């Protein structure tokens, strides 16, 4: 792009005030936040700037590469005018740690931004629902995380910096459960003299104890939602939708250790639940064996990858009978796994309940449902306060 003169700059909302090779300093009015939590601004030429640390309504100076194409990453250099919604971060590590995005932003504003972002992405993906429900807010916005990963290298113990593998040394984490912070202190004492780098996952169990896994794959014992109270809200929403839609026979994909499966048993007649993790399914079967004699036959857990042939692994009698598909896929969604909805949807399925944490990937997946299903509703849940992440439940009805 050409270098902008002062006259050009005055025509838009970006003005160059200094030059260093292709680096420019511009002044920007922040319009909204993006999917990665950055402030987003535009100039008169239609270029889009992504500025981490900038909030909507603020005016900032930022450095950017003038040679970059339309989408430009920028670095905030000066806060010219702060938002009225900007607050003092309660965490001393916030500016360095890569965990939280918005500890310096009022919680009400975070909720509004997430609702707007979700609606914006779905609209751009041409999959807007008939009803967009308000976000289920979190009552607990600190000390809520029941699972964290810390890194250590003998000298430091903490979290990675943003976009880096440098470790930010911490004493405690503002959003981690107090029991996990207690365990961090114990780990610090245990790792004195340890020189090799390692990853330690700390998770709060259902019994209230802390499990410790060192250098294991992420969520080796099965995925669990990180906010216990908000997870209960998620369970209630899914169960409520299944009940309202008169779900009887359910096929559940990516069931993990049964986070949604067990609550659903109170309103459905039968569930076949599938996950690729042998450990997660083993744990789910242990929980199933503790159910009553009338409930045990209602649920079957199976180890299987969710792929093009997953449905064919089950009897034709079940494939022709189940009326509801429930899925809670990883962030990649179905499309990136090489799976199409037609691979997992029997002809008689009336309802699809899709739990997602990625609006973009969800939008890709949902294209396949547009022809035969109504996109009834979206219910967002703030599972990750102070971060950009968005969790939501989508309902489709044939």
């Amino acid at each position: 792009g050409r270098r902008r003169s002062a006259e050009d700059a005055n025509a838009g909302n970006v003005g160059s005030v200094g030059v260093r090779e292709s680096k420019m300093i511009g002044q920007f009015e922040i319009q909204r936040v993006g999917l990665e939590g950055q402030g987003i601004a535009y100039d008169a030429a239609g270029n889009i700037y992504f500025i981490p640390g900038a909030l909507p309504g603020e005016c900032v100076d930022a450095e950017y590469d003038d040679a970059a194409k339309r989408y430009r990453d920028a670095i905030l250099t000066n806060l010219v005018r702060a938002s009225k919604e900007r607050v003092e971060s309660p965490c001393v590590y916030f500016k360095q740690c890569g965990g939280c995005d918005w500890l310096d932003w009022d919680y009400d504003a975070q909720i509004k931004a997430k609702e707007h972002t979700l609606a914006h992405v779905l609209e751009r993906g041409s999959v807007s629902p008939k009803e967009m429900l308000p976000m289920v807010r979190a009552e607990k916005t600190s000390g809520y995380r029941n699972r964290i990963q810390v890194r250590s290298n003998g000298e430091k113990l903490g979290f990675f910096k943003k976009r880096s593998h440098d470790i930010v040394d911490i004493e405690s984490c503002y959003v981690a459960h107090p029991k996990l912070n207690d365990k961090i202190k114990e780990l610090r004492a245990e790792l004195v003299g340890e020189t090799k780098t390692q990853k330690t996952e700390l998770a709060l169990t259902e019994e209230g104890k802390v499990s410790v896994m060192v250098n294991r794959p992420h969520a080796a014992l099965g995925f669990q939602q990180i906010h216990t109270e908000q997870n209960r809200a998620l369970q209630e929403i899914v169960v409520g939708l299944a009940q309202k839609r008169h779900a009887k026979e359910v096929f559940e994909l990516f069931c993990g250790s049964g986070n949604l499966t067990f609550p659903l048993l109170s309103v459905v007649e039968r569930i076949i639940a599938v996950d690729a993790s042998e450990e997660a399914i083993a744990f789910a079967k242990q929980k199933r064996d503790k159910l009553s004699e009338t409930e045990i036959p209602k649920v079957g857990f199976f180890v299987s990858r969710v792929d093009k042939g997953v449905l064919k692994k089950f009897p034709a009698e079940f494939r022709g009978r189940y009326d509801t598909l429930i899925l809670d896929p990883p962030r990649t969604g179905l499309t990136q796994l090489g799976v199409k909805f037609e691979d997992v949807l029997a002809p008689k399925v009336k309802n699809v309940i899709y739990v997602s944490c990625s609006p973009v990937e969800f939008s890709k997946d949902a294209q396949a449902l547009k022809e035969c299903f109504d996109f009834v509703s979206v219910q967002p849940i703030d599972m990750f306060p102070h971060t950009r992440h968005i969790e939501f439940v989508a309902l489709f009805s044939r």
Side-chain angles (χ1 to χ4, degrees):
R2 65 185 179 85
R3 302 202 183 282
R4 296 167 57 82
S5 69
E7 289 78 15
D8 290 331
N10 290 334
N13 65 351
V14 56
S16 55
V17 295
V19 178
R20 180 167 54 81
E21 297 178 351
S22 63
K23 297 294 183 182
M24 307 285 286
I25 298 292
Q27 192 168 99
F28 301 88
E29 294 282 345
I30 307 302
Q31 305 298 319
R32 59 185 180 87
V33 292
L35 282 171
E36 297 299 318
Q38 331 95 311
I40 292 182
Y42 307 85
D43 67 18
N47 297 308
I48 302 174
Y49 298 81
F50 301 94
I51 310 174
L55 302 177
E58 293 188 328
C59 179
V60 303
D61 292 332
E63 183 183 75
Y64 64 96
D65 187 346
D66 192 42
K69 294 185 179 179
R70 186 179 176 218
Y71 298 97
R72 298 177 171 183
D73 292 321
I75 298 172
L76 193 153
T77 58
N78 179 47
L79 185 58
V80 178
R81 185 187 68 247
S83 166
K84 295 178 180 178
E85 296 162 339
R86 183 177 283 274
V87 298
E88 187 72 27
S89 169
C91 175
V92 296
Y93 310 109
F94 171 60
K95 293 296 183 182
Q96 291 79 40
C97 176
C100 295
D101 302 294
W102 295 330
L103 278 169
D104 56 354
W105 201 12
D106 177 73
Y107 185 62
D108 288 342
Q110 295 181 33
I111 295 295
K112 292 177 184 176
K114 290 184 181 185
E115 290 175 337
H116 179 270
T117 297
L118 177 57
H120 175 76
V121 173
L122 297 184
E123 183 178 354
R124 286 190 60 124
S126 301
V127 288
S128 297
K130 291 183 176 179
E131 185 177 20
M132 177 72 74
L133 296 164
M135 180 87 66
V136 177
R137 298 163 57 93
E139 291 187 14
K140 183 184 288 187
T141 60
S142 66
Y144 68 83
R145 284 199 67 128
N146 58 37
R147 188 180 76 250
I148 59 174
Q149 284 185 12
V150 293
R151 311 283 174 153
S152 56
N153 60 7
E155 296 180 353
K156 298 178 179 179
L157 185 151
F159 303 110
F160 284 146
K161 291 182 179 178
K162 293 182 187 295
R163 298 177 179 82
S164 168
H165 281 178
D166 293 337
I167 297 172
V168 178
D169 199 31
I170 69 163
E171 295 293 330
S172 65
C173 171
Y174 177 75
V175 297
H177 191 281
K179 289 187 177 181
L180 301 188
N181 279 323
D182 290 342
K183 183 59 71 171
I184 287 176
K185 295 175 183 176
E186 294 178 20
L187 281 177
R188 186 174 291 283
E190 294 171 5
L191 292 171
V192 172
E194 179 65 63
T195 57
K196 64 180 180 180
T197 301
Q198 66 181 38
K199 175 185 73 173
T200 304
E201 183 166 327
L202 307 177
L204 194 65
T205 67
E206 291 182 1
E207 297 75 28
K209 297 181 180 180
V210 178
S211 68
V212 180
M213 291 182 289
V214 179
N215 294 332
R216 296 282 303 280
H218 177 55
L221 297 182
F223 173 78
Q224 69 181 53
Q225 294 287 0
I226 65 167
H227 196 310
T228 302
E229 290 77 13
Q230 291 297 83
N231 183 54
R232 292 194 193 104
L234 170 65
Q235 293 169 333
E236 289 173 4
I237 289 164
V238 172
V239 169
L241 290 175
Q243 188 172 30
K244 183 178 180 181
R245 292 287 160 172
H246 308 291
K248 300 300 181 185
E249 301 270 347
V250 174
F251 189 37
E252 183 187 359
L253 304 178
F254 310 100
C255 68
S257 55
N259 181 55
L260 300 176
T261 320
F262 291 105
L264 281 163
L265 291 178
S266 63
V267 298
V268 305
E269 294 179 359
R270 189 184 186 198
I271 302 178
I272 296 296
V274 172
D275 198 274
S277 169
E278 294 184 9
E279 290 176 294
I281 292 296
F283 187 62
K285 288 181 176 180
Q286 290 176 9
K287 292 179 67 176
R288 181 196 60 189
D289 292 343
K290 296 176 183 177
L291 296 173
S292 66
E293 292 184 1
T294 57
E295 285 186 311
I296 289 176
K298 292 175 67 174
V299 58
F301 288 102
F302 298 90
V303 177
S304 174
R305 290 179 60 85
V306 176
D307 54 25
K308 293 182 179 180
V310 65
L311 191 55
K312 298 176 183 178
K313 298 176 183 178
F314 297 93
E317 173 258 347
F318 170 74
R319 299 201 304 267
R321 191 178 69 227
Y322 80 92
D323 55 70
T324 300
L325 175 69
I326 296 178
L327 64 160
D328 186 0
R331 189 172 299 277
T332 53
L334 287 179
T335 305
Q336 287 197 42
L337 294 176
V339 183
K340 299 178 180 178
F341 260 112
E342 62 192 54
D343 300 324
V344 294
L345 268 179
K348 293 185 178 179
V349 171
K350 298 176 182 177
N351 312 297
V352 176
I353 300 173
Y354 188 137
V355 181
S356 175
C357 60
S358 176
V360 172
E361 298 306 324
F362 166 84
S363 296
K364 296 176 185 177
D365 291 347
Q367 300 297 330
L369 298 176
K370 290 167 65 174
E371 184 176 344
C372 298
F373 286 80
D374 288 328
F375 190 0
V376 180
S377 64
V378 163
Q379 174 65 78
I381 307 161
D382 193 25
M383 192 72 70
F384 317 93
H386 307 305
T387 77
R388 65 189 183 274
H389 299 295
I390 301 172
E391 188 90 5
F392 60 98
V393 183
L395 171 66
F396 297 84
S397 179
R398 189 179 291 275

